[in-house]
Amino acid sequence: MLAPVSEVTYTEAPLLRLGVASLRRWPAFAAELTADAGLSTDAGLVAGTGPPSGIEPESSAGTRPGDGSAAGAGPGFAEVRGLDLRADGTLDVAFGADDMAALGELAAYMEKLGLPVERLTGRECRRLEPMLAPSVRGGLLAPGDAWVDPRRVTAALLAALERLGVPLVRARAAEFLYEGGRVAGVRLAPPPAPEDGIGREVRGDRVVLAAGAWSSELAEVPVRPVKGQIMRLRSPQPLLGRCVRGTVHGSSVYLVPRGDGELVVGATQEEMGFDTRVTAGGLYELLRDARELVPGVTELEVADVVAGLRPGTPDNLPLIGPSGTPGLAYATGHHRGGVLLAPLTTAILLGEESELAALCAPGRFREIS
Amino acid sequence: MLAPVSEVTYTEAPLLRLGVASLRRWPAFAAELTADAGLSTDAGLVAGTGPPSGIEPESSAGTRPGDGSAAGAGPGFAEVRGLDLRADGTLDVAFGADDMAALGELAAYMEKLGLPVERLTGRECRRLEPMLAPSVRGGLLAPGDAWVDPRRVTAALLAALERLGVPLVRARAAEFLYEGGRVAGVRLAPPPAPEDGIGREVRGDRVVLAAGAWSSELAEVPVRPVKGQIMRLRSPQPLLGRCVRGTVHGSSVYLVPRGDGELVVGATQEEMGFDTRVTAGGLYELLRDARELVPGVTELEVADVVAGLRPGTPDNLPLIGPSGTPGLAYATGHHRGGVLLAPLTTAILLGEESELAALCAPGRFREIS
């Protein structure tokens, strides 16, 4: 989900600022990526029905003329069908009185920040999303939130690298190479990949540590793995028109409709170290909570279930920017926001976002060297 | 499960008789199968701790001398390690007052039939199986019930056929061949399997329809598919020492510990036609009910989930014996009891069980020709 608004809690104002800034960059980023990857812009997937209201695209300088041609589509989010990028908003729903009160507080906080949200009754929620459970008492619509298929984004990034002629070494970096007090590259873990034509060392003027949950294996960064289990269901007709979130039995669950009819249900948050087992308990929670939100999911086929590791940090903010060592920068600790924050991460690394860069500065943690 | 006792309800006396008779035949059947398939009898899997009490093995005429050598193992169930056959009994547990009353009625019925069961308190249940939920109020132990790994049984049957030189044609039979009022073989569905060296027809003096849930595609038999979803969990240590069953939220769930540490959780019963999708709802029920019985399952890894089709009949009894057409016999409609009833099915087809054969006679359904 590219959902800075509905993801936020009112203790996380800095994270919200990062998310909103990055979402503004997403239309241009997606257009550039789509063009660089050579993706068709009418890949048959449903595009957003227009640009997000309230949050204006940063600029369309990066877009290629003629890419966005869908009827009724605006200049921002529409030209990125190949990534299954949609901007129909997210709906956060509440069941009990406590949930309703929490949503009310969130709405007030959003409005104070000038962020567009709409408070809805249970009936209005079901008018938007008829498959919602009858027990939904109310909700909050964040019309500017968007979502994208991360598998397509990753595939497009790889395709773009290839088309741009960037050499790709598919091997694990074991440690940094130091030369004269600078980081000058990485040493690859055995076995090396001789078919790449590159030996056991890869050198570069600039090294970016972007190893996700495994970043602390290479540097002294306070990044830990946060396990998430996620399930994909196959739906003959789409059950939902937009992302729906809710808090069920104290745990947060979301349902994301994909352009190809899949419905993604996520995600557990577990402090289990580097454990990527799909467990009976994790699966049970996802199914229980999804059923509570949208009872009709019980009829859907289970396509797959996977477990992954998010890179968590002590303050839930990413580490982006120069490390204490010349030649080495960090781009890690994005926790649940890696896809949303991708365009902003690049901008910070390129020195285009000095104010927001301060929020992500690795130096805020004393242990970082 | 080879569990005629705990599977029965007191409306199903005929099915109980079939199950008990077939379980008596299982030790000899397993020994013969193990030998014919060339399986090692000390394959490293846990064998039953002895013959089932109360239900004596029919005979050990089929066993090979020297096959059963485990210390403390009896003459019946012990020599069949390669099939993961175990005879430690099944435990049927109850949560509420209604469940307790139903178990009490079942116990009284069993005792009237002279079948061994033991009534246990909740505390006694947990002494036998410490991982059981604290909310279990009581149970019924059927010490003679056994269980076996059906995948191993099937693999052993195929290996035995090969070792005995029986030709195997792996193709779908599309229809019967009739000659002079007799069934004389089958016509194979396209595409034929030319690599078998056999054409589009396979002939035989005797044809047995054993096509499970698909039997009604070949003959006018009242057999319908009954969908079952089943889940296998991976357990580092065994959570259970024996099969445990219970009724949770009105649906019956069982947990079967395998010799390799897996725990099988089954099974839904759904009237869905030829639908073999694993669904969110089916998976949810299995997980919910298994958790209720043994809360510790939540920590286990999900190895896989599959859906299969059982061959159901109007009276829940199988169809075994001659059809109305010379040359054709039926061995179908075993519903949930295909593995348990395998030895008895053969005996009936060979004319060794005339009294029980009457219960399974296909002619009891008028529509059968």
Side-chain angles (χ1 to χ4, degrees):
Chain A
M1 279 188 286
L2 309 177
V5 175
S6 82
E7 280 268 344
V8 84
T9 69
Y10 53 96
T11 57
E12 294 184 306
L15 189 55
L16 175 64
R17 288 181 59 200
L18 297 179
V20 169
S22 201
L23 181 59
R24 285 206 183 96
R25 289 176 173 274
W26 248 98
F29 174 75
E32 195 181 345
L33 178 56
T34 303
D36 286 348
L39 294 182
S40 164
T41 54
D42 46 19
L45 291 165
V46 182
T49 52
S53 55
I55 298 181
E56 290 303 312
E58 174 89 343
S59 93
S60 50
T63 64
R64 268 59 167 174
D67 276 354
S69 58
F77 275 89
E79 62 255 77
V80 285
R81 293 185 172 189
L83 304 175
D84 197 14
L85 176 61
R86 297 169 65 180
D88 299 317
T90 56
L91 178 63
D92 212 326
V93 300
F95 290 91
D98 287 358
D99 294 351
M100 282 298 287
L103 275 194
E105 284 179 37
L106 183 57
Y109 176 71
M110 295 296 177
E111 284 154 5
K112 207 177 100 191
L113 294 176
L115 290 167
V117 290
E118 292 172 34
R119 302 186 201 213
L120 304 179
T121 64
R123 187 184 296 258
E124 287 166 338
C125 289
R126 279 184 293 279
R127 202 175 299 140
L128 273 182
E129 295 293 350
M131 299 304 283
L132 276 179
S135 49
V136 165
R137 287 188 47 186
L140 208 60
L141 180 68
D145 278 358
W147 65 101
V148 70
D149 187 335
R151 299 184 186 207
R152 289 170 183 257
V153 172
T154 311
L157 284 166
L158 285 169
L161 288 178
E162 194 178 322
R163 283 166 56 103
L164 296 170
V166 178
L168 194 67
V169 181
R170 292 175 181 269
R172 194 168 67 80
E175 58 183 11
F176 295 121
L177 294 174
Y178 292 92
E179 268 173 20
R182 286 182 61 86
V183 168
V186 291
R187 184 166 289 116
L188 300 182
E195 67 271 18
D196 290 319
I198 297 179
R200 291 180 49 79
E201 293 181 355
V202 179
R203 290 170 176 274
D205 291 339
R206 215 170 157 185
V207 175
V208 179
L209 173 62
W214 293 266
S215 295
S216 62
E217 293 185 3
L218 283 158
E220 291 284 326
V221 286
V223 173
R224 70 182 194 285
V226 181
K227 179 177 174 182
Q229 300 188 48
I230 199 166
M231 183 171 55
R232 291 186 305 125
L233 304 176
R234 213 166 272 144
S235 183
Q237 291 96 29
L239 284 191
L240 297 174
R242 59 186 55 67
C243 292
V244 171
R245 310 170 48 93
T247 302
V248 184
H249 302 288
S251 67
S252 169
V253 64
Y254 58 81
L255 291 94
V256 180
R258 295 266 178 250
D260 57 5
E262 275 187 358
L263 188 68
V264 178
V265 181
T268 65
Q269 293 207 67
E270 305 165 64
E271 301 284 350
M272 297 283 288
F274 289 96
D275 168 5
T276 53
R277 297 175 309 135
V278 171
T279 62
L283 204 45
Y284 171 73
E285 276 180 38
L286 291 178
L287 289 163
R288 177 195 62 188
D289 298 351
R291 269 177 96 245
E292 203 104 358
L293 232 55
V294 177
V297 297
T298 54
E299 304 303 323
L300 302 188
E301 182 173 5
V302 178
D304 73 5
V305 191
V306 294
L309 299 173
R310 313 176 187 92
T313 64
D315 60 4
N316 288 335
L317 293 173
L319 301 172
I320 311 170
S323 74
T325 312
L328 177 65
Y330 294 143
T332 184
H334 292 72
H335 196 206
R336 303 172 60 178
V339 177
L340 169 61
L341 298 177
L344 181 70
T345 300
T346 317
I348 290 176
L349 287 175
L350 295 174
E352 298 171 3
E353 284 273 8
S354 60
E355 196 201 343
L356 293 174
L359 292 172
C360 310
R364 72 186 186 277
F365 295 109
R366 264 179 304 180
E367 65 260 53
I368 287 185
S369 57
Chain B
M1 280 187 285
L2 309 177
V5 174
S6 79
E7 280 268 345
V8 84
T9 69
Y10 52 94
T11 56
E12 295 185 305
L15 189 56
L16 175 64
R17 287 182 59 200
L18 298 178
V20 169
S22 200
L23 182 59
R24 286 207 182 95
R25 289 175 172 275
W26 248 97
F29 174 75
E32 195 181 345
L33 177 57
T34 303
D36 286 348
L39 294 182
S40 164
T41 54
D42 47 20
L45 291 164
V46 182
T49 52
S53 56
I55 297 181
E56 290 302 315
E58 173 89 342
S59 93
S60 53
T63 65
R64 269 57 167 176
D67 277 354
S69 58
F77 277 87
E79 63 253 79
V80 284
R81 292 183 172 191
L83 304 176
D84 197 14
L85 176 62
R86 296 169 65 181
D88 299 317
T90 55
L91 178 62
D92 212 326
V93 301
F95 290 91
D98 287 357
D99 294 352
M100 283 298 286
L103 275 193
E105 283 178 38
L106 184 58
Y109 176 71
M110 295 296 178
E111 285 155 3
K112 206 177 102 190
L113 292 176
L115 290 167
V117 290
E118 291 172 35
R119 302 184 200 214
L120 304 179
T121 64
R123 185 184 296 259
E124 288 167 336
C125 288
R126 280 184 292 279
R127 200 174 299 140
L128 273 182
E129 294 293 349
M131 299 303 284
L132 275 179
S135 50
V136 164
R137 287 190 47 188
L140 207 60
L141 180 68
D145 278 357
W147 65 99
V148 71
D149 187 335
R151 299 184 186 208
R152 290 171 182 257
V153 172
T154 310
L157 284 166
L158 285 169
L161 288 178
E162 193 178 322
R163 283 167 55 102
L164 296 170
V166 178
L168 195 65
V169 182
R170 291 176 182 268
R172 194 169 67 80
E175 56 183 10
F176 294 121
L177 294 175
Y178 292 92
E179 268 174 20
R182 285 182 62 85
V183 167
V186 291
R187 184 166 289 118
L188 299 183
E195 67 271 19
D196 289 318
I198 296 177
R200 292 180 48 80
E201 293 180 356
V202 179
R203 293 170 174 273
D205 291 338
R206 213 167 160 189
V207 176
V208 179
L209 173 63
W214 293 266
S215 296
S216 63
E217 292 185 2
L218 283 158
E220 291 283 327
V221 287
V223 172
R224 70 182 195 284
V226 180
K227 180 177 174 181
Q229 300 188 49
I230 199 166
M231 183 171 55
R232 290 185 306 123
L233 304 175
R234 214 166 272 143
S235 183
Q237 290 96 28
L239 284 191
L240 297 174
R242 59 184 58 65
C243 291
V244 170
R245 310 170 50 93
T247 302
V248 184
H249 302 289
S251 67
S252 171
V253 64
Y254 59 80
L255 291 94
V256 180
R258 294 266 178 248
D260 57 7
E262 275 187 357
L263 188 68
V264 178
V265 181
T268 65
Q269 294 208 65
E270 304 164 64
E271 302 284 348
M272 297 284 287
F274 290 95
D275 169 6
T276 53
R277 297 174 310 136
V278 171
T279 62
L283 204 47
Y284 171 74
E285 277 181 37
L286 291 177
L287 289 162
R288 177 195 63 189
D289 298 351
R291 269 177 95 246
E292 203 104 358
L293 231 56
V294 177
V297 298
T298 53
E299 304 302 323
L300 303 187
E301 182 174 5
V302 178
D304 73 5
V305 191
V306 294
L309 300 173
R310 314 176 187 94
T313 63
D315 59 4
N316 288 336
L317 294 173
L319 300 172
I320 311 170
S323 73
T325 312
L328 177 65
Y330 294 142
T332 185
H334 293 71
H335 196 206
R336 304 172 59 178
V339 177
L340 169 60
L341 298 178
L344 181 70
T345 299
T346 317
I348 290 176
L349 287 175
L350 296 174
E352 297 171 3
E353 283 275 7
S354 59
E355 196 200 344
L356 294 174
L359 292 172
C360 309
R364 72 186 185 278
F365 295 109
R366 265 180 303 179
E367 65 259 53
I368 287 185
S369 58

